[in-house]
Amino acid sequence: IGADLLQLMLRARATGDGEEALTVEVRGTSLDRLRLLLARVCNKLDAIFSDFPGVMYDAQYACPHCLRAGRGEAAQQWALRGLADSVYCPKCHEHVKVSVGERELLIFVCSPTASPLAHGLHEAHEVASTCAGAVEIRNGGSAQELRMQLQAAPTRRFLFTGHADAPSPVCCDGEQALSRSLGFTKPGGGVDMVDPAVVAGVLGIASVAHGGRLELVVLNGCCSEPMGRAVYEAGVPTVLCWASRVEDRAARLFAKAFFEMAAAAHDYRTCFEGAKAAVQLVTRPGESGGVCGSVPRYELRVPGTASAWRCTPTPIAAGVPVLITSD
């Protein structure tokens, strides 16, 4: 990953009870990047072991002093999720400094085969170019992978680019309000339809309200407001979403402008207003009041509703963005 030297090893060994164990190891010079790689490995293991009920595995960090001393599998280990800035090894009697550097932005681009998004990956790279910190782009990804990624590395911001109006597999009778979910995708491009309330909870667990680092979630997809409010209620302090369907190119422009302003250390409400202005100030050749020139290309309104502009051509209905925040 990047310029860091990483090594992935798989070893089979016999256990004392006559069974065999498969060990997966990742080694390299950057723990931050190793965490990301291990998250991918764990996600693959989840997919494989789902066909073998009862098979268990966990992710552990081995003491580097123990490894250098030749202890091998007898090295002191800690659960990956429980790592702190410094841990004490009772075998080496050494304090192990552990890098828990923050991932600035995690991006999921989910473009299902049944309804592909032409601009999703371009949007992700444009947004990533505005960030100075570590950015991870996942071109496709399941809800399970999101959970593993958030577990693997402290993450400050999350951007979902894709369909946010996928059908929820959960019965919507009674008080179940989330009839739509984020359209995560499997490796083959199929839609990964899971309980949206569980997804909101996964993001909430990673939030600052629950001891994590996640402070911003951007759901850049159609009709994502109900999901956005569920994510906010789960503990994420700031959520950006859409109250209506959104025009793809306008959504791409909105996301880039928002993160450009965030990179300049503006507060999220200012970023939101700036991103709206960026969309509204895009023009195209046209006529208004008998004068030829440039007229707005986009208008922030619900598709299918009347325009407030008197110009030709009529501005495209870009959709209505929503900022949910406690600030």
Side-chain angles (χ1 to χ4, degrees):
I1 303 177
D4 292 299
L5 176 62
L6 301 180
Q7 183 179 20
L8 174 63
M9 299 187 298
L10 292 90
R11 296 185 290 123
R13 62 180 175 83
T15 63
D17 53 8
E19 297 182 354
E20 289 191 352
L22 181 66
T23 302
V24 179
E25 298 180 6
V26 288
R27 297 186 179 186
T29 58
S30 169
L31 181 60
D32 293 340
R33 295 188 182 277
L34 286 173
R35 281 173 174 244
L36 303 183
L37 177 58
L38 189 56
R40 297 177 187 173
V41 173
C42 290
N43 181 63
K44 298 300 182 185
L45 291 176
D46 271 339
I48 294 171
F49 290 153
S50 64
D51 294 329
F52 300 92
V55 176
M56 304 296 292
Y57 76 92
D58 57 6
Q60 300 285 327
Y61 174 65
C63 172
H65 300 292
C66 285
L67 293 176
R68 280 197 294 268
R71 291 191 174 91
E73 293 175 5
Q76 178 68 33
Q77 298 181 9
W78 299 274
L80 184 69
R81 188 172 185 176
L83 286 178
D85 290 333
S86 177
V87 288
Y88 177 74
C89 177
K91 296 183 178 180
C92 297
H93 306 290
E94 297 276 0
H95 286 277
V96 180
K97 293 293 292 181
V98 179
S99 170
V100 289
E102 180 177 272
R103 175 169 47 194
E104 178 70 15
L105 177 63
L106 172 63
I107 305 176
F108 267 43
V109 181
C110 295
S111 180
T113 303
S115 182
L117 299 172
H119 305 288
L121 197 55
H122 295 296
E123 174 188 319
H125 286 291
E126 287 177 349
V127 169
S129 69
T130 70
C131 299
V135 179
E136 174 82 358
I137 299 175
R138 302 296 298 133
N139 186 15
S142 66
Q144 186 72 273
E145 183 172 1
L146 172 63
R147 181 185 70 82
M148 295 302 302
Q149 286 283 350
L150 293 175
Q151 175 181 313
T155 302
R156 185 182 179 196
R157 296 163 176 164
F158 171 62
L159 166 63
F160 176 86
T161 296
H163 297 292
D165 53 357
S168 169
V170 181
C171 178
C172 296
D173 293 338
E175 296 182 357
Q176 171 57 257
L178 295 177
S179 61
R180 300 287 174 176
S181 184
L182 302 181
F184 293 100
T185 50
K186 291 289 191 179
V191 180
D192 187 32
M193 293 176 285
V194 296
D195 186 348
V198 175
V199 175
V202 165
L203 291 166
I205 290 172
S207 71
V208 293
H210 296 279
R213 306 284 184 87
L214 191 62
E215 64 180 47
L216 171 70
V217 168
V218 178
L219 305 179
N220 206 20
C222 295
C223 306
S224 53
E225 183 180 2
M227 185 69 189
R229 294 198 176 278
V231 171
Y232 176 77
E233 291 297 327
V236 179
T238 303
V239 180
L240 178 58
C241 48
W242 292 85
S244 64
R245 297 191 63 80
V246 55
E247 203 274 341
D248 288 351
R249 287 165 295 185
R252 174 181 173 182
L253 174 61
F254 190 92
K256 180 184 179 183
F258 182 90
F259 281 98
E260 279 178 340
M261 295 194 67
H266 292 288
D267 64 85
Y268 290 137
R269 191 172 296 280
T270 300
C271 296
F272 178 70
E273 295 301 326
K276 288 198 299 183
V279 173
Q280 292 172 306
L281 292 176
V282 176
T283 60
R284 58 179 172 178
E287 177 269 331
S288 179
V291 178
C292 293
S294 296
V295 297
R297 175 181 289 273
Y298 299 113
E299 184 179 357
L300 296 179
R301 59 181 170 87
V302 176
T305 61
S307 172
W309 285 87
R310 295 180 180 178
C311 61
T312 304
T314 302
I316 299 168
V320 179
V322 176
L323 180 69
I324 308 170
T325 182
S326 55
D327 297 334

